[in-house]
Amino acid sequence: MAPVQDPPDDASTLPDPSPETAFVHIPVLSREVLEGLAVRSGGHYLDATVGGGGHSALILAAAPDVRVTAIDQDEQAIAAAQAKLVEFKDRVQFYRTNFAAFQPGAQRFDGILADLGVSSAQFDIPDRGFSFRHAAPLDMRMDQQQDLTAADLINHWDETKLADIFYTYGEERLSRRIARRIVERRPFETTTALAEAIAYSVPKSYRYGRIHPATRVFQALRIAVNQELSVLETFIERAPHWLKPDGKIAIISFHSLEDRIVKHRFRESELLKVLTKKPILPQEDEVAENVRARSAKLRIAELSV
């Protein structure tokens, strides 16, 4: 795995984050992350989900001579992070890969950060297909080089399999009813067409509830397309081996399925000492400035052997 060059030699390899596709990312729980990682002068940190580079920028600026290895499977994220972190020059090195597949070689880190799930930027770029606020292809791939898309799942998986992922990954109690409607109405090409079909498959009382009835289904599809829970399990198993003695790992999750995995795998690890008995939540001032931070949970552990 070779590092991404900065700037890339081939402009087609990593797209320029133009205003139309700007990968803007507001880092959540930034104060708590810096404190939890105990960023120190000369330290080397792994940002396992660099996104737009927000957390990395804060880590690099927190102390003198800090270095960051920044990875992400999303090519738009890497391009945006390169632009944001250009002032730090050779103090940051980029790799385009999934964090579960990362191979650090002999490198060991003073701290590791993973900010899970879909970033605000991915939601806000319509053609990525993560949101049904705009008509877009049913894509949902974080790594756009992979073959499987949400359209493949929706249009080709059988009714039982769809119902199972809606229930397991979306915790959707009307999963079978929704899956039956989807199979009856498919094929689907756009996010909005799918969301409408889901809305009209549920009772009116459910349709006009606190959240749109397609929300949990879209979460389930995204998790299935990107195998998010299985790669998280793999990452937590491997990451402690990448830490220096007393090095810390901080993971931010955004829904109960992720947080449950982080909580239990931290506790079960023979290499880690849990530093957060309960997850750290965003403070009121952060939620007021960034409503998407409201569901964030931070858990921290350190290498204990």
Side-chain angles (χ1 to χ4, degrees):
M1 178 182 57
V4 175
Q5 298 300 311
D6 186 14
D9 295 327
D10 179 0
S12 67
T13 303
L14 292 173
D16 177 37
S18 62
E20 292 76 20
T21 59
F23 205 101
V24 179
H25 175 234
I26 302 172
V28 301
L29 291 163
S30 56
R31 294 168 294 198
E32 294 81 357
V33 164
L34 292 178
E35 181 180 350
L37 290 178
V39 178
R40 62 178 183 81
S41 177
H44 188 186
Y45 298 86
L46 173 65
D47 189 341
T49 50
V50 69
H55 282 115
S56 281
L58 295 170
I59 291 170
L60 287 159
D65 302 319
V66 170
R67 292 180 296 134
V68 165
T69 294
I71 64 177
D72 206 292
Q73 63 183 331
D74 189 316
E75 62 182 3
Q76 288 181 319
I78 289 285
Q82 286 180 311
K84 183 175 182 63
L85 304 175
V86 66
E87 66 180 286
F88 298 103
K89 300 180 181 178
D90 59 358
R91 289 170 55 196
V92 55
Q93 191 172 35
F94 298 91
Y95 294 86
R96 184 175 179 274
T97 184
N98 183 285
F99 58 24
F102 179 59
Q103 299 290 338
Q107 293 183 99
R108 293 297 178 265
F109 303 99
D110 295 283
I112 297 172
L113 170 66
D115 183 359
L116 304 177
V118 180
S119 71
S120 298
Q122 288 166 322
F123 273 123
D124 292 341
I125 300 173
D127 63 6
R128 299 299 299 272
F130 288 108
S131 171
F132 48 82
R133 288 181 298 147
H134 308 280
L138 283 163
D139 191 325
M140 300 194 191
R141 294 171 298 170
M142 293 183 182
D143 178 356
Q144 293 187 295
Q145 292 185 356
Q146 78 171 41
D147 294 327
L148 185 68
T149 68
D152 295 326
L153 272 63
I154 283 296
N155 293 322
H156 300 293
W157 284 17
D158 65 40
E159 181 180 326
T160 299
K161 196 170 183 180
L162 288 174
D164 286 346
I165 68 165
F166 298 162
Y167 183 80
T168 303
Y169 295 156
E171 300 178 296
E172 174 52 69
R173 62 184 180 86
L174 299 181
S175 59
R176 300 197 180 282
R177 181 171 182 164
I178 293 170
R180 183 166 57 250
R181 175 77 169 192
I182 287 172
V183 170
E184 290 171 353
R185 296 284 301 275
R186 66 188 186 188
F188 293 94
E189 295 183 356
T190 67
T191 54
T192 48
L194 176 60
E196 182 179 11
I198 293 168
Y200 283 97
S201 71
V202 301
K204 285 186 177 180
S205 59
Y206 197 76
R207 190 182 310 162
Y208 301 110
R210 185 175 60 86
I211 65 170
H212 192 285
T215 301
R216 295 187 180 92
V217 171
F218 270 63
Q219 173 183 297
L221 286 172
R222 190 199 79 223
I223 290 172
V225 166
N226 298 287
Q227 301 180 58
E228 292 177 32
L229 302 186
S230 62
V231 297
L232 176 59
E233 295 263 13
T234 300
F235 171 70
I236 298 176
E237 179 183 350
R238 294 178 178 174
H241 298 279
W242 307 340
L243 288 168
K244 296 178 183 178
D246 299 322
K248 296 174 177 58
I249 178 170
I251 300 182
I252 302 171
S253 62
F254 287 88
H255 58 74
S256 59
L257 298 176
E258 293 173 337
D259 182 59
R260 196 174 303 133
I261 289 173
V262 177
K263 174 184 177 181
H264 290 296
R265 298 303 171 266
F266 274 9
R267 286 181 177 178
E268 294 164 2
S269 174
E270 296 179 355
L271 300 177
L272 296 175
K273 174 185 176 183
V274 176
L275 301 181
T276 49
K277 291 183 178 179
K278 294 184 178 180
I280 299 172
L281 306 178
Q283 298 179 29
E284 291 183 6
D285 62 331
E286 179 175 5
V287 175
E289 293 180 3
N290 178 17
V291 68
R292 287 173 174 170
R294 68 185 182 278
S295 57
K297 294 180 179 180
L298 170 65
R299 293 185 185 272
I300 304 168
E302 71 176 2
L303 188 65
S304 61
V305 294

